[in-house]
Amino acid sequence: MKKNKWFALAGMTSAVLAFTTACGGGAQQGGEDGGEALSGNVVVDGSSTVYPIVEAAAEAYAGEQPDVKVSVGLSGTGGGFEKFTKGETDFSNASRPIKEEEKKAAEQNGIQFEEFQIAFDGLSVLVHKDNDWVDYLTVDELKKIFTSGAVNGDDKVKWSDIRPEWPNEEIKLFSPGHDSGTFDYFDEVILDGQPLNKTAQLSEDDNVLVQGIAGDKNALGYFGFAYYIENKDKLKAVPIDGGNGPIEPTHETIQSGEYAPLSRPLFTYVSVKALKEKAQVYDFAKFLLENGAEFAEEVGYVALPKEKYDEQLKKLEELK
């Protein structure tokens, strides 16, 4: 499998919110390992950041269980939880932990769930590949740029407003939309709950953000590490100084947490009822955790330590 396939899929028109993985053919005698042949649907939605990992898993799983149809949507973390807490999906991918109000919505609708971590991400801050003046940004500078009215009460921020030696040109900002868990995380650790700069162009589709930043020399934006890795020829990552000097996002700095405060875990949430009542849902969850490290690395994210996957597989088995 090639990781650029998943980004090409995710880059389809935003009207296409789900890609369904299925293989044709007749009845099978079992999976690749000779296990029980399963059939039915598995419905996944949520984070566009997590999407490439689970879509890679769904494609591989089709070879194991060709009569199981796994559909993977990318309506954003918030949009995914809205469906999940109504019982409309089996899995909800998320680039942040579930919020209290979302937990309450699930409880009111009788939805029990379990949280599983599947990878690490480093929320990456990007500029145009020809930007030759931004060597790094501090967390305070990043906050100043992206917070509404933080520079002289104006949302039109110039590079020279941040450092006098930088160009006297307006910064064109790009940000995930408000339904995105990536925005929620950025809001928490950078904006500190302050309103986002009103000039920022928003999209839940990370590929739209890639195109926006790649198309303007004065652009500045952020999104998940895998989308940066996939577009390194078009974009340049900005090292971030969280207090211990500038750190660039890499597999090593993300897994160690050195890339602070922008390193974060990625999640999928699973309906306990679906796990117990639908053999294909349990089996896909098991397949995802057993192969999570491979899928995470394949699409450009950072695998968890093996013991973390093993620990979660035990938790999954207890829920069966």
Side-chain angles (χ1 to χ4, degrees):
M1 291 180 285
K2 298 295 184 182
K3 67 183 179 183
N4 58 4
K5 178 179 179 182
W6 316 122
F7 293 92
L9 288 171
M12 289 178 179
T13 174
S14 58
V16 182
L17 292 180
F19 175 83
T20 302
T21 300
C23 280
Q28 303 295 308
Q29 295 303 309
E32 203 172 78
D33 59 358
E36 179 187 1
L38 302 173
S39 62
N41 298 321
V42 176
V43 183
V44 187
D45 208 324
S47 168
S48 63
T49 302
V50 181
Y51 173 89
I53 302 173
V54 180
E55 179 56 29
E59 175 71 10
Y61 187 71
E64 300 266 334
Q65 294 286 356
D67 292 325
V68 176
K69 182 187 293 184
V70 181
S71 63
V72 187
L74 41 81
S75 60
T77 296
F81 276 134
E82 187 174 348
K83 295 178 182 179
F84 184 70
T85 57
K86 292 177 182 176
E88 296 174 4
T89 57
D90 302 311
F91 292 79
S92 197
N93 297 331
S95 56
R96 59 153 171 85
I98 191 169
K99 295 179 178 179
E100 284 303 316
E101 57 264 34
E102 292 162 341
K103 290 181 183 178
K104 288 178 182 176
E107 185 178 355
Q108 288 169 358
N109 290 316
I111 306 297
Q112 290 183 288
F113 60 83
E114 194 63 55
E115 174 191 280
F116 295 96
Q117 288 186 25
I118 54 175
F120 287 121
D121 179 28
L123 194 156
S124 303
V125 179
L126 293 313
V127 293
H128 190 278
K129 65 176 182 177
D130 295 332
N131 182 318
D132 58 3
W133 59 89
V134 177
D135 48 355
Y136 71 93
L137 286 167
T138 67
V139 167
D140 285 344
E141 288 172 333
L142 200 55
K143 180 177 181 179
K144 188 176 180 182
I145 292 169
F146 275 95
T147 300
S148 178
V151 178
N152 304 318
D154 191 354
D155 281 22
K156 292 185 178 180
V157 181
K158 296 179 180 179
W159 290 109
S160 55
D161 291 327
I162 306 306
R163 296 188 202 171
E165 67 272 21
W166 285 355
N168 188 35
E169 298 286 345
E170 184 182 346
I171 306 173
K172 303 297 183 182
L173 299 178
F174 293 86
S175 169
H178 294 286
D179 273 345
S180 166
T182 301
F183 170 78
D184 288 336
Y185 189 79
F186 191 81
D187 181 41
E188 179 183 343
V189 302
I190 301 297
L191 299 180
D192 197 25
Q194 296 300 305
L196 180 69
N197 188 306
K198 294 182 180 66
T199 68
Q201 298 182 52
L202 309 181
S203 178
E204 258 75 35
D205 186 340
D206 292 329
N207 286 282
V208 172
L209 302 178
V210 168
Q211 292 166 16
I213 300 168
D216 194 317
K217 191 174 180 179
N218 287 299
L220 178 71
Y222 64 95
F223 44 74
F225 182 66
Y227 286 87
Y228 158 58
I229 293 298
E230 182 66 14
N231 294 280
K232 288 182 77 169
D233 58 329
K234 304 175 188 174
L235 307 172
K236 187 161 66 174
V238 178
I240 301 300
D241 186 348
N244 295 308
I247 303 293
E248 187 174 347
T250 66
H251 277 68
E252 292 73 27
T253 62
I254 291 168
Q255 190 172 56
S256 69
E258 185 183 3
Y259 181 63
L262 296 177
S263 295
R264 58 178 179 164
L266 299 177
F267 306 92
T268 194
Y269 289 76
V270 190
S271 161
V272 172
K273 181 180 179 182
L275 283 172
K276 291 179 179 296
E277 296 182 357
K278 301 177 183 178
Q280 71 273 22
V281 170
Y282 176 86
D283 196 57
F284 181 68
K286 184 170 180 282
F287 181 81
L288 178 60
L289 291 173
E290 285 176 339
N291 300 280
E294 176 189 343
F295 297 134
E297 296 287 342
E298 178 181 294
V299 301
Y301 289 114
V302 179
L304 305 174
K306 183 180 183 300
E307 56 267 25
K308 182 65 176 178
Y309 292 111
D310 291 342
E311 172 190 314
Q312 294 186 112
L313 279 164
K314 288 181 182 177
K315 180 169 71 171
L316 176 66
E317 189 171 346
E318 291 168 0
L319 292 169
K320 192 174 182 181

